[in-house]
Amino acid sequence: MRKSHWRKTMATVATSVLALGLLAGCGGNEASSDTSNDADSEKVIKLGGLFDETGATGDVGAPYAEGERAYFEYLNSKGGVDGYKIDFIGEDYAYDTSRAQQVYQSLRDRHEVAAVLGWGTADTEALRQQIINDKIPFFSASYSENLKDTGSESGFNFLVAASYSDQGRAMLEWIKENHKGSSPATVALIYQGGHPFSESPIQDMKDYAAEHLEGVVEIVPDIQIELGDTDPQTTLQSWARSNEVPDYAIINYTWNQTRNVVRDGKQLGWDTQFMGLNWTAGEGLIPSGDDNQQWVDALDGYIGVLTHAFPTEDLPGMEPIVEYLESKGKTVEDINQKFVQGWATASIMAEAIRLTIAETGGEVTGSDIRAAIESIDNFELGGLGANVSFAPDNHAGTDKIRLGQLNNGEWNIITDYFGVSDYR
């Protein structure tokens, strides 16, 4: 696929999306995030947020939550959605599934929210049937294939980016296209067994390789490392005693553990192309500080899935973000890709609310919002992410991703948007 630098302008994105991008806003860490003092007025729509800002995935969860809050704050500063202000009520549940249940019940019973923007795989899966019973649409930041909620299940969860499984399938197709040599490309999958998020796409990737890539891509024995294991080198060494070093390794963690695995693999002399799904990629993979150069060197060449844009890309959808940041005395250098990911997710919910208001004249129930989401067709994000479409039998908005690669500490886009549907 064609290489292009991540700062390039995506001229093909319709500029009309800017009007939709101008719907943006923010909220508090636990109570209401509506800063306009309009929460008691009649024209207010309440939305809930479940955040991981201090838990096991807080490295990526905190900027994602910040992006959601920022969107709704900006949205309200522009008059809301057709005159309706958004009261975004969110709380940090610290990646604790039982705490997520408590926060969700408070959002439902105390605050009577119309929809929720959630976070993790385990908690979203645990809440799934409850969400259906309560008729509360849910945009999780988990892209687990198990959460597609399509067909006869009549679910209320929607995936606003490519599922982890579709990300993995697309990566395997990229490996097939780019692998050099006559022997099959050997691919190790690195994850934490039994962890709902980390393990989510593993079997789907194995099944896809067996069905479509036999003789071209060979999945070798798994490498299972716990998210909190600070010495993954021991596990890698043990694995290598019984297996040949793989050509490729696909990781499904967040930033913190991903960098440890890649560093330790290289220290062991592995000549492996390390790769990872979307929560492994982004600026935070390379920490700042005195040892920054060590990480720049260790992670050089790493390839990651990019479901959303970097804030430094010159894109139509970045214009309202820049305007918001300037109002706070900030620049794009103060945010990262996960902020953009949260902002884009909130913008899709705002579009669903706009469609709901247009259809009902102002009544906004969970069932109404679900119907509106299911009517969204090729909604453009101004380049912030792949366009999304939904339907009653399709709650997965897209299967499209890009791939980025680290070069001397900088991310470079190495593909255009593509998905497994481009191959099958």
Side-chain angles (χ1 to χ4, degrees), residues 10-42:
M10 294 176 61
T12 56
V13 179
T15 57
S16 60
V17 74
L18 287 176
L20 296 171
L22 290 174
L23 300 175
C26 154
N29 191 36
E30 53 181 1
S32 168
S33 67
D34 177 71
T35 58
S36 62
N37 296 321
D38 288 329
D40 294 328
S41 69
E42 292 183 2

PDB file of all heavy atoms in Angstrom, residues 10-42:
ATOM      1  N   MET A  10      -5.511  15.015   3.925  1.00  0.00           N
ATOM      2  CA  MET A  10      -6.375  14.045   3.251  1.00  0.00           C
ATOM      3  C   MET A  10      -7.404  14.824   2.438  1.00  0.00           C
ATOM      4  O   MET A  10      -8.495  15.139   2.896  1.00  0.00           O
ATOM      5  CB  MET A  10      -7.055  13.125   4.260  1.00  0.00           C
ATOM      6  CG  MET A  10      -6.069  12.240   4.991  1.00  0.00           C
ATOM      7  SD  MET A  10      -6.850  11.233   6.253  1.00  0.00           S
ATOM      8  CE  MET A  10      -7.969  10.280   5.234  1.00  0.00           C
ATOM      9  N   ALA A  11      -7.041  15.144   1.213  1.00  0.00           N
ATOM     10  CA  ALA A  11      -7.885  16.014   0.401  1.00  0.00           C
ATOM     11  C   ALA A  11      -9.193  15.368   0.017  1.00  0.00           C
ATOM     12  O   ALA A  11     -10.146  16.049  -0.364  1.00  0.00           O
ATOM     13  CB  ALA A  11      -7.118  16.405  -0.869  1.00  0.00           C
ATOM     14  N   THR A  12      -9.262  14.050   0.121  1.00  0.00           N
ATOM     15  CA  THR A  12     -10.480  13.369  -0.294  1.00  0.00           C
ATOM     16  C   THR A  12     -11.599  13.474   0.723  1.00  0.00           C
ATOM     17  O   THR A  12     -12.722  13.099   0.454  1.00  0.00           O
ATOM     18  CB  THR A  12     -10.187  11.873  -0.535  1.00  0.00           C
ATOM     19  OG1 THR A  12      -9.630  11.326   0.654  1.00  0.00           O
ATOM     20  CG2 THR A  12      -9.192  11.709  -1.675  1.00  0.00           C
ATOM     21  N   VAL A  13     -11.295  13.918   1.937  1.00  0.00           N
ATOM     22  CA  VAL A  13     -12.329  14.010   2.961  1.00  0.00           C
ATOM     23  C   VAL A  13     -13.220  15.216   2.683  1.00  0.00           C
ATOM     24  O   VAL A  13     -12.734  16.315   2.463  1.00  0.00           O
ATOM     25  CB  VAL A  13     -11.697  14.152   4.359  1.00  0.00           C
ATOM     26  CG1 VAL A  13     -12.779  14.266   5.406  1.00  0.00           C
ATOM     27  CG2 VAL A  13     -10.825  12.946   4.640  1.00  0.00           C
ATOM     28  N   ALA A  14     -14.520  15.013   2.702  1.00  0.00           N
ATOM     29  CA  ALA A  14     -15.454  16.093   2.399  1.00  0.00           C
ATOM     30  C   ALA A  14     -15.391  17.171   3.465  1.00  0.00           C
ATOM     31  O   ALA A  14     -15.457  16.889   4.655  1.00  0.00           O
ATOM     32  CB  ALA A  14     -16.876  15.543   2.308  1.00  0.00           C
ATOM     33  N   THR A  15     -15.261  18.407   3.035  1.00  0.00           N
ATOM     34  CA  THR A  15     -15.156  19.494   4.003  1.00  0.00           C
ATOM     35  C   THR A  15     -16.468  19.771   4.699  1.00  0.00           C
ATOM     36  O   THR A  15     -16.507  20.435   5.730  1.00  0.00           O
ATOM     37  CB  THR A  15     -14.683  20.773   3.286  1.00  0.00           C
ATOM     38  OG1 THR A  15     -15.590  21.068   2.223  1.00  0.00           O
ATOM     39  CG2 THR A  15     -13.285  20.596   2.727  1.00  0.00           C
ATOM     40  N   SER A  16     -17.558  19.231   4.159  1.00  0.00           N
ATOM     41  CA  SER A  16     -18.849  19.464   4.813  1.00  0.00           C
ATOM     42  C   SER A  16     -18.921  18.859   6.192  1.00  0.00           C
ATOM     43  O   SER A  16     -19.755  19.238   7.009  1.00  0.00           O
ATOM     44  CB  SER A  16     -19.988  18.872   3.960  1.00  0.00           C
ATOM     45  OG  SER A  16     -19.811  17.484   3.807  1.00  0.00           O
ATOM     46  N   VAL A  17     -18.013  17.921   6.495  1.00  0.00           N
ATOM     47  CA  VAL A  17     -18.028  17.299   7.810  1.00  0.00           C
ATOM     48  C   VAL A  17     -17.657  18.278   8.911  1.00  0.00           C
ATOM     49  O   VAL A  17     -17.916  18.041  10.079  1.00  0.00           O
ATOM     50  CB  VAL A  17     -17.063  16.091   7.834  1.00  0.00           C
ATOM     51  CG1 VAL A  17     -15.623  16.580   7.874  1.00  0.00           C
ATOM     52  CG2 VAL A  17     -17.346  15.190   9.034  1.00  0.00           C
ATOM     53  N   LEU A  18     -17.069  19.400   8.539  1.00  0.00           N
ATOM     54  CA  LEU A  18     -16.679  20.359   9.561  1.00  0.00           C
ATOM     55  C   LEU A  18     -17.868  20.831  10.364  1.00  0.00           C
ATOM     56  O   LEU A  18     -17.768  21.096  11.561  1.00  0.00           O
ATOM     57  CB  LEU A  18     -15.985  21.566   8.913  1.00  0.00           C
ATOM     58  CG  LEU A  18     -14.563  21.296   8.385  1.00  0.00           C
ATOM     59  CD1 LEU A  18     -14.036  22.524   7.686  1.00  0.00           C
ATOM     60  CD2 LEU A  18     -13.665  20.877   9.512  1.00  0.00           C
ATOM     61  N   ALA A  19     -19.015  20.941   9.710  1.00  0.00           N
ATOM     62  CA  ALA A  19     -20.202  21.375  10.445  1.00  0.00           C
ATOM     63  C   ALA A  19     -20.545  20.390  11.534  1.00  0.00           C
ATOM     64  O   ALA A  19     -20.950  20.758  12.639  1.00  0.00           O
ATOM     65  CB  ALA A  19     -21.383  21.526   9.491  1.00  0.00           C
ATOM     66  N   LEU A  20     -20.346  19.109  11.236  1.00  0.00           N
ATOM     67  CA  LEU A  20     -20.599  18.090  12.245  1.00  0.00           C
ATOM     68  C   LEU A  20     -19.491  18.093  13.280  1.00  0.00           C
ATOM     69  O   LEU A  20     -19.720  17.867  14.460  1.00  0.00           O
ATOM     70  CB  LEU A  20     -20.698  16.709  11.575  1.00  0.00           C
ATOM     71  CG  LEU A  20     -21.870  16.574  10.608  1.00  0.00           C
ATOM     72  CD1 LEU A  20     -21.759  15.259   9.845  1.00  0.00           C
ATOM     73  CD2 LEU A  20     -23.185  16.656  11.345  1.00  0.00           C
ATOM     74  N   GLY A  21     -18.262  18.370  12.845  1.00  0.00           N
ATOM     75  CA  GLY A  21     -17.138  18.404  13.774  1.00  0.00           C
ATOM     76  C   GLY A  21     -17.271  19.521  14.784  1.00  0.00           C
ATOM     77  O   GLY A  21     -16.681  19.473  15.850  1.00  0.00           O
ATOM     78  N   LEU A  22     -18.065  20.537  14.465  1.00  0.00           N
ATOM     79  CA  LEU A  22     -18.221  21.646  15.386  1.00  0.00           C
ATOM     80  C   LEU A  22     -19.116  21.299  16.556  1.00  0.00           C
ATOM     81  O   LEU A  22     -19.306  22.103  17.459  1.00  0.00           O
ATOM     82  CB  LEU A  22     -18.788  22.871  14.645  1.00  0.00           C
ATOM     83  CG  LEU A  22     -17.800  23.524  13.663  1.00  0.00           C
ATOM     84  CD1 LEU A  22     -18.492  24.616  12.890  1.00  0.00           C
ATOM     85  CD2 LEU A  22     -16.607  24.074  14.405  1.00  0.00           C
ATOM     86  N   LEU A  23     -19.687  20.093  16.565  1.00  0.00           N
ATOM     87  CA  LEU A  23     -20.463  19.647  17.719  1.00  0.00           C
ATOM     88  C   LEU A  23     -19.495  19.026  18.716  1.00  0.00           C
ATOM     89  O   LEU A  23     -19.096  17.897  18.569  1.00  0.00           O
ATOM     90  CB  LEU A  23     -21.491  18.592  17.285  1.00  0.00           C
ATOM     91  CG  LEU A  23     -22.520  19.038  16.258  1.00  0.00           C
ATOM     92  CD1 LEU A  23     -23.379  17.858  15.845  1.00  0.00           C
ATOM     93  CD2 LEU A  23     -23.382  20.132  16.836  1.00  0.00           C
ATOM     94  N   ALA A  24     -19.053  19.766  19.759  1.00  0.00           N
ATOM     95  CA  ALA A  24     -18.036  19.198  20.634  1.00  0.00           C
ATOM     96  C   ALA A  24     -18.156  19.585  22.088  1.00  0.00           C
ATOM     97  O   ALA A  24     -18.665  20.612  22.394  1.00  0.00           O
ATOM     98  CB  ALA A  24     -16.679  19.610  20.127  1.00  0.00           C
ATOM     99  N   GLY A  25     -17.605  18.804  23.109  1.00  0.00           N
ATOM    100  CA  GLY A  25     -17.770  19.173  24.500  1.00  0.00           C
ATOM    101  C   GLY A  25     -17.046  18.416  25.582  1.00  0.00           C
ATOM    102  O   GLY A  25     -16.210  17.627  25.306  1.00  0.00           O
ATOM    103  N   CYS A  26     -17.371  18.589  26.895  1.00  0.00           N
ATOM    104  CA  CYS A  26     -16.530  18.123  28.001  1.00  0.00           C
ATOM    105  C   CYS A  26     -17.308  17.875  29.267  1.00  0.00           C
ATOM    106  O   CYS A  26     -18.413  18.320  29.416  1.00  0.00           O
ATOM    107  CB  CYS A  26     -15.441  19.146  28.220  1.00  0.00           C
ATOM    108  SG  CYS A  26     -14.705  19.276  29.809  1.00  0.00           S
ATOM    109  N   GLY A  27     -16.716  17.195  30.282  1.00  0.00           N
ATOM    110  CA  GLY A  27     -17.406  16.914  31.525  1.00  0.00           C
ATOM    111  C   GLY A  27     -16.479  16.717  32.682  1.00  0.00           C
ATOM    112  O   GLY A  27     -15.293  16.700  32.540  1.00  0.00           O
ATOM    113  N   GLY A  28     -17.018  16.497  33.861  1.00  0.00           N
ATOM    114  CA  GLY A  28     -16.224  16.356  35.062  1.00  0.00           C
ATOM    115  C   GLY A  28     -15.788  14.941  35.307  1.00  0.00           C
ATOM    116  O   GLY A  28     -16.261  14.029  34.670  1.00  0.00           O
ATOM    117  N   ASN A  29     -14.896  14.767  36.287  1.00  0.00           N
ATOM    118  CA  ASN A  29     -14.375  13.442  36.552  1.00  0.00           C
ATOM    119  C   ASN A  29     -15.418  12.548  37.178  1.00  0.00           C
ATOM    120  O   ASN A  29     -15.418  11.352  36.992  1.00  0.00           O
ATOM    121  CB  ASN A  29     -13.158  13.545  37.477  1.00  0.00           C
ATOM    122  CG  ASN A  29     -12.428  12.241  37.580  1.00  0.00           C
ATOM    123  OD1 ASN A  29     -12.334  11.503  36.602  1.00  0.00           O
ATOM    124  ND2 ASN A  29     -11.912  11.950  38.756  1.00  0.00           N
ATOM    125  N   GLU A  30     -16.340  13.140  37.945  1.00  0.00           N
ATOM    126  CA  GLU A  30     -17.373  12.266  38.444  1.00  0.00           C
ATOM    127  C   GLU A  30     -18.752  12.871  38.303  1.00  0.00           C
ATOM    128  O   GLU A  30     -19.650  12.262  37.840  1.00  0.00           O
ATOM    129  CB  GLU A  30     -17.109  11.854  39.891  1.00  0.00           C
ATOM    130  CG  GLU A  30     -16.866  12.988  40.853  1.00  0.00           C
ATOM    131  CD  GLU A  30     -16.599  12.457  42.232  1.00  0.00           C
ATOM    132  OE1 GLU A  30     -16.593  11.242  42.402  1.00  0.00           O
ATOM    133  OE2 GLU A  30     -16.405  13.271  43.135  1.00  0.00           O
ATOM    134  N   ALA A  31     -19.034  14.063  38.515  1.00  0.00           N
ATOM    135  CA  ALA A  31     -20.398  14.535  38.378  1.00  0.00           C
ATOM    136  C   ALA A  31     -20.643  15.031  36.964  1.00  0.00           C
ATOM    137  O   ALA A  31     -20.129  14.508  36.010  1.00  0.00           O
ATOM    138  CB  ALA A  31     -20.687  15.615  39.401  1.00  0.00           C
ATOM    139  N   SER A  32     -21.456  16.092  36.835  1.00  0.00           N
ATOM    140  CA  SER A  32     -21.825  16.588  35.523  1.00  0.00           C
ATOM    141  C   SER A  32     -20.649  17.263  34.854  1.00  0.00           C
ATOM    142  O   SER A  32     -19.880  17.966  35.480  1.00  0.00           O
ATOM    143  CB  SER A  32     -22.963  17.593  35.663  1.00  0.00           C
ATOM    144  OG  SER A  32     -23.150  18.281  34.456  1.00  0.00           O
ATOM    145  N   SER A  33     -20.548  17.058  33.521  1.00  0.00           N
ATOM    146  CA  SER A  33     -19.514  17.729  32.759  1.00  0.00           C
ATOM    147  C   SER A  33     -20.067  18.914  32.001  1.00  0.00           C
ATOM    148  O   SER A  33     -19.360  19.526  31.231  1.00  0.00           O
ATOM    149  CB  SER A  33     -18.872  16.762  31.769  1.00  0.00           C
ATOM    150  OG  SER A  33     -19.799  16.394  30.788  1.00  0.00           O
ATOM    151  N   ASP A  34     -21.340  19.222  32.157  1.00  0.00           N
ATOM    152  CA  ASP A  34     -21.914  20.387  31.510  1.00  0.00           C
ATOM    153  C   ASP A  34     -21.450  21.629  32.255  1.00  0.00           C
ATOM    154  O   ASP A  34     -21.698  21.774  33.451  1.00  0.00           O
ATOM    155  CB  ASP A  34     -23.437  20.307  31.525  1.00  0.00           C
ATOM    156  CG  ASP A  34     -24.067  21.547  30.909  1.00  0.00           C
ATOM    157  OD1 ASP A  34     -23.975  21.691  29.688  1.00  0.00           O
ATOM    158  OD2 ASP A  34     -24.644  22.346  31.671  1.00  0.00           O
ATOM    159  N   THR A  35     -20.742  22.523  31.554  1.00  0.00           N
ATOM    160  CA  THR A  35     -20.168  23.694  32.202  1.00  0.00           C
ATOM    161  C   THR A  35     -20.950  24.958  31.894  1.00  0.00           C
ATOM    162  O   THR A  35     -20.517  26.054  32.197  1.00  0.00           O
ATOM    163  CB  THR A  35     -18.713  23.893  31.743  1.00  0.00           C
ATOM    164  OG1 THR A  35     -18.692  24.040  30.313  1.00  0.00           O
ATOM    165  CG2 THR A  35     -17.863  22.706  32.152  1.00  0.00           C
ATOM    166  N   SER A  36     -22.144  24.811  31.303  1.00  0.00           N
ATOM    167  CA  SER A  36     -22.872  25.976  30.847  1.00  0.00           C
ATOM    168  C   SER A  36     -23.945  26.429  31.813  1.00  0.00           C
ATOM    169  O   SER A  36     -24.678  27.367  31.535  1.00  0.00           O
ATOM    170  CB  SER A  36     -23.527  25.653  29.492  1.00  0.00           C
ATOM    171  OG  SER A  36     -24.443  24.585  29.663  1.00  0.00           O
ATOM    172  N   ASN A  37     -24.058  25.743  32.974  1.00  0.00           N
ATOM    173  CA  ASN A  37     -25.077  26.070  33.970  1.00  0.00           C
ATOM    174  C   ASN A  37     -26.491  25.947  33.417  1.00  0.00           C
ATOM    175  O   ASN A  37     -27.430  26.588  33.883  1.00  0.00           O
ATOM    176  CB  ASN A  37     -24.874  27.496  34.519  1.00  0.00           C
ATOM    177  CG  ASN A  37     -23.569  27.634  35.265  1.00  0.00           C
ATOM    178  OD1 ASN A  37     -23.176  26.714  35.987  1.00  0.00           O
ATOM    179  ND2 ASN A  37     -22.885  28.748  35.091  1.00  0.00           N
ATOM    180  N   ASP A  38     -26.642  25.102  32.372  1.00  0.00           N
ATOM    181  CA  ASP A  38     -27.958  24.897  31.789  1.00  0.00           C
ATOM    182  C   ASP A  38     -28.547  23.549  32.182  1.00  0.00           C
ATOM    183  O   ASP A  38     -29.531  23.105  31.611  1.00  0.00           O
ATOM    184  CB  ASP A  38     -27.871  24.962  30.253  1.00  0.00           C
ATOM    185  CG  ASP A  38     -27.639  26.386  29.771  1.00  0.00           C
ATOM    186  OD1 ASP A  38     -28.112  27.306  30.451  1.00  0.00           O
ATOM    187  OD2 ASP A  38     -26.997  26.547  28.717  1.00  0.00           O
ATOM    188  N   ALA A  39     -27.919  22.864  33.151  1.00  0.00           N
ATOM    189  CA  ALA A  39     -28.344  21.504  33.454  1.00  0.00           C
ATOM    190  C   ALA A  39     -29.761  21.442  33.974  1.00  0.00           C
ATOM    191  O   ALA A  39     -30.407  20.402  33.929  1.00  0.00           O
ATOM    192  CB  ALA A  39     -27.382  20.883  34.471  1.00  0.00           C
ATOM    193  N   ASP A  40     -30.285  22.568  34.490  1.00  0.00           N
ATOM    194  CA  ASP A  40     -31.641  22.551  35.006  1.00  0.00           C
ATOM    195  C   ASP A  40     -32.669  23.036  33.972  1.00  0.00           C
ATOM    196  O   ASP A  40     -33.868  23.058  34.241  1.00  0.00           O
ATOM    197  CB  ASP A  40     -31.734  23.449  36.255  1.00  0.00           C
ATOM    198  CG  ASP A  40     -30.909  22.901  37.395  1.00  0.00           C
ATOM    199  OD1 ASP A  40     -30.793  21.665  37.486  1.00  0.00           O
ATOM    200  OD2 ASP A  40     -30.380  23.705  38.181  1.00  0.00           O
ATOM    201  N   SER A  41     -32.219  23.447  32.815  1.00  0.00           N
ATOM    202  CA  SER A  41     -33.154  23.909  31.796  1.00  0.00           C
ATOM    203  C   SER A  41     -33.821  22.721  31.131  1.00  0.00           C
ATOM    204  O   SER A  41     -33.383  21.585  31.259  1.00  0.00           O
ATOM    205  CB  SER A  41     -32.425  24.760  30.760  1.00  0.00           C
ATOM    206  OG  SER A  41     -31.569  23.949  29.994  1.00  0.00           O
ATOM    207  N   GLU A  42     -34.884  22.968  30.386  1.00  0.00           N
ATOM    208  CA  GLU A  42     -35.631  21.889  29.767  1.00  0.00           C
ATOM    209  C   GLU A  42     -34.879  21.275  28.596  1.00  0.00           C
ATOM    210  O   GLU A  42     -34.997  20.087  28.334  1.00  0.00           O
ATOM    211  CB  GLU A  42     -37.003  22.407  29.315  1.00  0.00           C
ATOM    212  CG  GLU A  42     -37.926  22.775  30.478  1.00  0.00           C
ATOM    213  CD  GLU A  42     -39.295  23.221  29.998  1.00  0.00           C
ATOM    214  OE1 GLU A  42     -39.521  23.211  28.773  1.00  0.00           O
ATOM    215  OE2 GLU A  42     -40.124  23.566  30.845  1.00  0.00           O
TER     216      GLU A  42
END
